[in-house]
């Protein structure tokens, strides 16, 4: 995808602080971290969002999710972390290349969902 910012990171056309890569996935620090630890896991394949995922992506999605705790621990999340996948306009997605946010801190993160 020519104009996708994450595809440009994958092609090394723009720099990123990569923390992991393999044949299917890469992970890199978020440019505007929401907490002391904030990185993104993305597939090498351009998939716009979770809405575009199909049965054929099951293994890839499982791999992304399983990588989260491994990298989170490596990055210093010893006592938990938050995973977020923003999807589409309603989900507040800004970059339309599937990604999981992993966010961690020494202290408890603020509540994300305020119940009525
Ligand atoms: P979304 O709102 O789509 O779930 O999150 C997109 C995330 O990508 C945001 O947290 C934003 O800070 C991050 N981001 C956007 N552009 C870049 C970039 O060029 N490099 C890096 N490392 N992160 C980016
Ligand atoms: Zn892309």
């Amino acid at each position: 995808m020519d104009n996708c910012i994450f595809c440009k990171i994958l092609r090394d056309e723009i720099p990123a602080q990569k923390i992991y890569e393999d044949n299917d996935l890469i992970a890199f620090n978020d440019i505007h971290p929401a907490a002391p630890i904030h990185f993104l896991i993305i597939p090498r394949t351009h998939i716009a969002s979770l809405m575009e995922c199909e049965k054929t992506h099951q293994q890839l999605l499982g791999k992304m999710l399983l990588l989260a705790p491994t990298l989170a621990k490596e990055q210093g999340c010893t006592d938990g972390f938050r995973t977020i996948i923003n999807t589409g306009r309603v989900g507040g997605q800004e970059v339309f290349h599937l990604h999981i946010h992993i966010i961690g801190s020494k202290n408890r993160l603020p509540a994300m969902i305020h119940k009525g």
Side-chain angles (χ1 to χ4, degrees):
M1 284 302 228
D2 290 353
N3 287 323
C4 170
I5 198 129
F6 288 176
C7 282
K8 286 183 182 174
I9 288 175
L10 283 162
R11 293 194 298 262
D12 286 324
E13 287 172 15
I14 61 168
Q17 284 185 328
K18 289 185 195 160
I19 59 168
Y20 177 86
E21 48 190 319
D22 67 25
N23 287 340
D24 303 310
L25 311 173
I26 72 164
F28 54 89
N29 287 325
D30 196 292
I31 201 163
H32 293 128
I37 299 164
H38 186 173
F39 63 90
L40 308 171
I41 299 174
I42 73 166
R44 286 193 185 275
T45 311
H46 180 91
I47 302 166
S49 83
L50 201 55
M51 292 261 249
E52 278 70 35
C53 284
E54 297 172 357
K55 185 88 181 159
T56 52
H57 298 121
Q58 185 167 314
Q59 202 172 352
L60 183 68
L61 289 169
K63 188 170 173 176
M64 287 174 75
L65 205 52
L66 270 176
L67 185 60
T70 306
L71 293 184
K73 276 181 244 163
E74 279 179 24
Q75 294 298 309
C77 299
T78 50
D79 203 18
F81 56 90
R82 182 169 287 159
T83 45
I84 301 171
I85 305 176
N86 293 322
T87 303
R89 182 183 64 82
V90 169
Q93 186 176 1
E94 288 175 1
V95 177
F96 281 77
H97 181 127
L98 178 65
H99 53 280
I100 303 180
H101 294 255
I102 290 87
I103 297 171
S105 173
K106 288 207 186 325
N107 303 313
R108 190 183 170 137
L109 295 165
M112 206 171 63
I113 298 167
H114 298 276
K115 293 167 219 156

